[in-house]
Amino acid sequence: MTVQLNHTIVVAHDKRASARFLADLLGLDVSPPYGPFLPVEISNGVTLDFMDSPGAITPQHYAFLVSEDEFDEIFDRIRQAGLTYWADPFHSRPGEINHNDGGRGAYFDDPDGHRLEIITRPYGSGG
C-alpha cells in the first residue's frame, strides 16, 4: 500500500469564512459540508477539512506547491486583498517573496493565524 495524506483538520473560529478565504486565494472550491467539516479539496485529492472551534487556536503551517503561473495568480489575489505577506516563516521579511531552490515562495496568514505558504519548487530541489 502506498501511504498518502488524505485529509487534515483545520481548526477555525468560523469554518465558512476560513474555508472561503483559502479557496478564493488558491482558486479552489469549497465542497459541501461533511458532518461538522467544510472541506476544501486540493488538486492532489487531499482535503483540508475546516471545523469550528470556540477555543484558542494554535496556528499551524500549510504549504502549497503551485506552478509558476498559479503563483502569479495567487500572489495577485494576495496583493489585491491587501494581505501582508512575507518571504520567510518568521515574518521578518515583510513585503518580499523568496527565491529558495530557484523558485518563488511567499507566506501569508489566514484569519485564524494559520501560516500559509505558496512555493513553486519543493524544498531541497536545488536550483
Side-chain angles (χ1 to χ4, degrees):
M1 172 184 218
T2 301
V3 177
Q4 298 180 10
L5 180 63
N6 177 264
H7 68 277
T8 191
I9 295 171
V10 180
V11 179
H13 287 124
D14 180 342
K15 67 183 177 188
R16 284 172 179 50
S18 292
R20 176 61 40 216
F21 174 86
L22 179 69
D24 286 350
L25 285 178
L26 297 183
L28 301 171
D29 294 319
V30 176
S31 298
Y34 181 77
F37 306 110
L38 194 57
V40 174
E41 185 173 351
I42 310 303
S43 63
N44 62 353
V46 174
T47 60
L48 299 176
D49 296 342
F50 287 83
M51 180 179 84
D52 284 333
S53 175
I57 293 175
T58 301
Q60 301 295 312
H61 174 71
Y62 301 94
F64 303 94
L65 181 62
V66 300
S67 70
E68 290 289 339
D69 288 340
E70 289 167 327
F71 185 95
D72 290 336
E73 293 168 8
I74 295 165
F75 191 60
D76 281 345
R77 290 184 201 115
I78 290 169
R79 289 186 297 189
Q80 288 174 6
L83 299 175
T84 301
Y85 58 90
W86 298 267
D88 65 306
F90 307 107
H91 292 177
S92 66
R93 295 173 51 200
E96 298 179 36
I97 65 170
N98 66 58
H99 297 278
N100 298 338
D101 293 299
R104 293 183 291 163
Y107 294 81
F108 55 100
D109 291 348
D110 87 343
D112 293 296
H114 295 300
R115 297 199 171 168
L116 308 178
E117 176 184 14
I118 53 172
I119 54 173
T120 60
R121 298 281 304 263
Y123 286 131
S125 64

